[in-house]
Amino acid sequence: MEARLDKFLWAARIFKTRTIAADACKNGRVMIDGVKQKPSRMVKEGDVIQVRKPPITYSFKILQAIQNRVGAKLVPEIMENVTTPDQYELLEMNRISGFVNRARGTGRPTKKERRELDDFVTPAFFGDFEDFDFDDDDDEEDFE
């Protein structure tokens, strides 16, 4: 039995919607045997699909090509996860590092970055400015 690639990715619960699965194929994030595939490509039992969801690439072996979505408990009968352990190590390292997938300097600062900015702009050793005389009239007389 054969099924369309985008339909299979949706039916096997790799992607939440068929549209997202088709977009992933069009953008080159889904490969079979290292070759980027179109959403209309027919897949069959025994094919190994690589799906790139940054930061890692998942690999799935098709045990049964289906077109209709199945419950989460039935997914192990449909496909087998053959992702290498080094990919999961990469995911764990990314999780530990706390990397935020955002280009530096773009968008609003995070809460942590905002606090660091506030601490940098108003250091604690400056204290309050209540005792400081901003209205110093002596300087004006010197310039006349």
Side-chain angles (χ1 to χ4, degrees):
M1 184 174 181
E2 291 186 340
R4 281 179 55 109
L5 180 58
D6 60 341
K7 254 188 180 178
F8 175 79
L9 293 171
W10 166 76
R13 297 180 170 269
I14 296 171
F15 289 102
K16 193 173 185 177
T17 66
R18 188 170 164 197
T19 305
I20 295 170
D23 288 342
C25 294
K26 289 175 188 173
N27 293 329
R29 292 192 300 264
V30 178
M31 296 178 283
I32 297 177
D33 298 325
V35 179
K36 296 176 184 176
Q37 300 295 330
K38 293 182 179 180
S40 60
R41 159 82 149 69
M42 299 301 279
V43 295
K44 58 187 182 306
E45 297 169 5
D47 285 346
V48 177
I49 301 173
Q50 292 93 23
V51 179
R52 188 165 39 94
K53 289 185 176 183
I56 70 171
T57 301
Y58 296 96
S59 298
F60 304 103
K61 182 177 181 181
I62 300 175
L63 302 176
Q64 188 178 354
I66 60 168
Q67 293 186 13
N68 296 328
R69 196 163 173 98
V70 295
K73 290 182 179 180
L74 299 176
V75 170
E77 298 173 11
I78 305 302
M79 65 179 184
E80 178 185 354
N81 188 349
V82 292
T83 306
T84 57
D86 63 325
Q87 291 291 321
Y88 286 112
E89 288 175 16
L90 187 68
L91 181 64
E92 189 61 30
M93 291 297 287
N94 196 17
R95 190 173 294 144
I96 290 170
S97 70
F99 173 72
V100 178
N101 195 9
R102 174 172 61 91
R104 194 143 177 85
T106 60
R108 291 172 39 180
T110 63
K111 194 172 190 178
K112 181 180 178 184
E113 290 170 340
R114 183 69 210 172
R115 287 179 180 151
E116 289 172 353
L117 276 171
D118 288 342
D119 290 343
F120 178 74
V121 173
T122 56
F125 62 86
F126 279 134
D128 293 329
F129 292 104
E130 293 175 6
D131 298 333
F132 188 76
D133 184 18
F134 288 103
D135 216 16
D136 193 7
D137 294 333
D138 296 336
D139 292 340
E140 292 178 14
E141 294 173 4
D142 294 340
F143 290 113
E144 289 180 6

